[in-house]
Amino acid sequence: MDSKYVKSYKSDIYIMIPFTMDTNMDIKEEKEDMISEEFLSYMEENSIYECNSKVTKDLKRKFLGKNYLACLNYNYDGKILDKELVYLFLTEHRSTGIYVLTIMDLKNKFSPTQIEDQVTTDNILLYDENDNTVDINTYMKEKYGLNRCGEAKILLSISNKPKDFLEFKSMLACETYKTFVENGQYYKLTSKEIEKICDDNFSEYDFYEIYASRSSIVYVLNTFSDDSIANIQDEIPILFIIELIMFQNAAVLRTNNKIIEQLSENETVSLSFIEDLYKEFGKTIRFWNKNVFKYITVQNISSKINEAFGTKNIIDEYYKNQDFLEHIVNLRDIQNSNRESKVLNIIVLILTLVQVIPVILEFLNWVFSLNIHVNYLYIINISVVLLVLIIILLNRKIKKNKNRKIRDLR
């Protein structure tokens, strides 16, 4: 980034990151100031006004306090060029254990594209109690017991498009504007895909333009003013849409990550493990309701952002891995069933022999006048034990076949 860089627009930056929690740990809220109070109030009002109440009633938003975002050099050589004061908010869905962190940077002075680059390269640094920088994943884990679960997304709200179209493209590519190589030369972004995105304004009203890529939303807000609270009020409707999409993606990614871990680290997969996955994912089903939003204009924007974020690809990968996991379980069940069938046949053969032996002995006693004693009580006991084993094995086979049919229906 050029040291002489001057912004040609005003901007707010929102960084949203999904997390999960394994245990229900209470997260302490910080005392609110006017801006944080208004932010939470607008988010709550918007959720009631725009969204189906069944989806949002379990969402709880908390203010985690203020911090500073470390602004780094584009080559990440350890130098901190500046700091940006940020607000931290956490939205939690306790019943599913999914959380979304929102980092709000109002009227930011530093280059937005460099901050975006830090987000996509996972160089988000905050400050701890000792004024040392700490990456966001460690910060959230140590302070709140939260685990990162998915990619961060950015909402960049700007007053107008930059004078240089290259900077606008960099915003949607989440890459540093004018990354210098040497002798004043810099790489120029020429991606046709990004240029196509730059032409796709999917706004539903005339007071803004909106563009979306995989990692960022650029919101050109014509009403952008020096009043931060007024800007927040206009930014909240888009933030709320992104927040719900973050919950959707986190729900899929969490389950998918567990499947991948199970496939890569364990030779055996239990049926109970799959059932637990179904239960866990089932708790998030409300996020996938097609009637989440009350207004078609909001649903249209949500659909475009979902498309840009690649949500369908995330879901497709999840179902592919789930099918593969179930295929492994089915193969194992078939192998076990074959082994049990062999054992069952052997037990039936033994039971048959046990029943036939007394008859043979009686016949030998009669023909050759032998005095061989037949212990019928012993034979009856053996027969009962073998019959019980047969019943147990048959029940196991019936249950496995039933479970296999249920999985096939899914």
Side-chain angles (χ1 to χ4, degrees):
M1 186 181 67
D2 190 349
S3 59
K4 299 179 181 179
Y5 167 77
V6 178
K7 286 174 63 178
S8 59
Y9 52 90
K10 299 174 184 177
S11 60
D12 292 337
I13 300 176
Y14 297 87
I15 304 167
M16 306 183 79
I17 311 171
F19 290 88
T20 60
M21 183 187 289
D22 297 329
T23 58
N24 286 328
M25 173 181 168
D26 288 328
I27 295 177
K28 181 183 177 182
E29 298 182 67
E30 298 294 330
K31 185 177 180 181
E32 299 169 4
D33 61 7
M34 184 175 67
I35 289 179
S36 60
E37 183 179 356
E38 290 297 317
F39 177 89
L40 292 171
S41 177
Y42 286 142
M43 282 292 279
E44 184 64 24
E45 289 176 9
N46 192 83
S47 66
I48 295 172
Y49 180 72
E50 301 275 9
C51 195
N52 187 322
S53 61
K54 291 182 179 179
V55 177
T56 59
K57 70 175 184 177
D58 293 328
L59 294 179
K60 183 176 176 58
R61 297 177 181 86
K62 296 180 177 180
F63 177 51
L64 301 184
K66 302 176 188 178
N67 204 310
Y68 284 94
L69 175 70
C71 302
L72 310 177
N73 202 335
Y74 69 87
N75 56 11
Y76 301 112
D77 54 7
K79 294 180 182 178
I80 297 175
L81 304 182
D82 206 346
K83 295 179 181 179
E84 293 273 354
L85 177 66
V86 294
Y87 287 74
L88 305 179
F89 301 93
L90 189 70
T91 305
E92 62 179 28
H93 193 258
R94 290 290 292 272
S95 63
T96 61
I98 300 176
Y99 299 72
V100 173
L101 173 71
T102 299
I103 303 174
M104 180 174 72
D105 183 1
L106 300 176
K107 295 182 181 178
N108 79 290
K109 305 298 182 184
F110 198 68
S111 166
T113 59
Q114 173 55 31
I115 293 176
E116 285 185 301
D117 196 287
Q118 289 181 215
V119 173
T120 54
T121 57
D122 209 14
N123 282 290
I124 308 172
L125 303 181
L126 300 180
Y127 288 81
D128 62 17
E129 292 79 2
N130 300 317
D131 205 32
N132 297 318
T133 57
V134 57
D135 72 89
I136 190 65
N137 299 336
T138 302
Y139 181 87
M140 297 302 290
K141 177 65 176 178
E142 292 182 351
K143 195 163 186 178
Y144 304 108
L146 295 171
N147 303 300
R148 179 75 172 268
C149 182
E151 294 181 356
K153 305 296 181 184
I154 305 155
L155 174 65
L156 178 55
S157 176
I158 57 178
S159 59
N160 54 272
K161 289 183 179 179
K163 290 181 179 179
D164 188 351
F165 184 61
L166 176 60
E167 185 174 4
F168 184 62
K169 290 196 293 184
S170 299
M171 289 175 175
L172 286 161
C174 291
E175 295 181 4
T176 304
Y177 169 58
K178 289 188 176 180
T179 303
F180 284 83
V181 186
E182 58 182 9
N183 301 324
Q185 298 297 314
Y186 59 87
Y187 292 120
K188 290 185 179 180
L189 184 64
T190 59
S191 167
K192 299 299 180 184
E193 181 182 350
I194 296 298
E195 288 185 1
K196 184 178 178 181
I197 291 173
C198 290
D199 291 331
D200 186 13
N201 169 27
F202 54 93
S203 62
E204 294 285 338
Y205 295 94
D206 61 355
F207 68 91
Y208 69 91
E209 296 177 25
I210 187 167
Y211 306 84
S213 66
R214 195 189 81 175
S215 297
S216 73
I217 310 293
V218 177
Y219 188 52
V220 186
L221 186 59
N222 299 334
T223 58
F224 202 102
S225 69
D226 293 329
D227 185 352
S228 291
I229 292 178
N231 293 335
I232 289 172
Q233 191 171 10
D234 287 335
E235 292 158 352
I236 287 292
I238 305 301
L239 277 172
F240 180 71
I241 293 171
I242 300 172
E243 183 183 72
L244 285 182
I245 294 174
M246 298 293 284
F247 274 105
Q248 291 176 350
N249 289 354
V252 179
L253 287 169
R254 178 178 62 176
T255 306
N256 193 43
N257 289 340
K258 288 184 179 181
I259 292 175
I260 292 172
E261 182 180 350
Q262 188 76 9
L263 289 172
S264 60
E265 296 183 4
N266 295 282
E267 295 180 359
T268 60
V269 182
S270 66
L271 181 59
S272 61
F273 173 79
I274 294 180
E275 290 174 346
D276 289 342
L277 288 183
Y278 284 139
K279 291 177 183 177
E280 178 184 79
F281 191 68
K283 291 179 181 179
T284 69
I285 200 68
R286 283 181 176 170
F287 293 130
W288 303 97
N289 193 329
K290 292 182 179 180
N291 300 317
V292 169
F293 299 104
K294 296 178 181 178
Y295 297 97
I296 189 171
T297 52
V298 182
Q299 185 61 55
N300 290 342
I301 293 174
S302 175
S303 298
K304 289 291 292 186
I305 295 175
N306 254 319
E307 181 183 347
F309 283 179
T311 301
K312 184 179 183 301
N313 294 334
I314 295 172
I315 296 172
D316 288 344
E317 182 184 359
Y318 160 67
Y319 282 124
K320 181 186 71 175
N321 290 335
Q322 177 185 276
D323 288 343
F324 185 62
L325 184 68
E326 291 179 354
H327 181 63
I328 290 176
V329 174
N330 284 334
L331 286 176
R332 190 203 63 192
D333 286 349
I334 291 171
Q335 291 173 344
N336 289 340
S337 181
N338 289 337
R339 283 195 293 267
E340 288 175 1
S341 294
K342 291 179 181 178
V343 172
L344 184 61
N345 290 335
I346 293 171
I347 293 174
V348 171
L349 177 61
I350 294 172
L351 179 61
T352 303
L353 290 174
V354 168
Q355 298 297 319
V356 170
I357 286 172
V359 177
I360 295 174
L361 291 176
E362 290 290 350
F363 178 75
L364 292 174
N365 282 337
W366 177 70
V367 173
F368 299 104
S369 299
L370 299 176
N371 191 21
I372 301 174
H373 178 70
V374 180
N375 191 335
Y376 287 100
L377 181 61
Y378 179 72
I379 292 172
I380 290 172
N381 288 337
I382 293 177
S383 300
V384 170
V385 170
L386 293 174
L387 282 170
V388 169
L389 287 174
I390 291 172
I391 292 170
I392 291 173
L393 289 172
L394 286 174
N395 282 334
R396 282 170 59 90
K397 287 174 67 70
I398 292 170
K399 286 182 180 179
K400 286 182 179 180
N401 289 334
K402 185 178 180 181
N403 289 332
R404 193 179 300 123
K405 288 178 181 178
I406 292 173
R407 292 200 300 271
D408 291 342
L409 287 173
R410 287 170 176 168

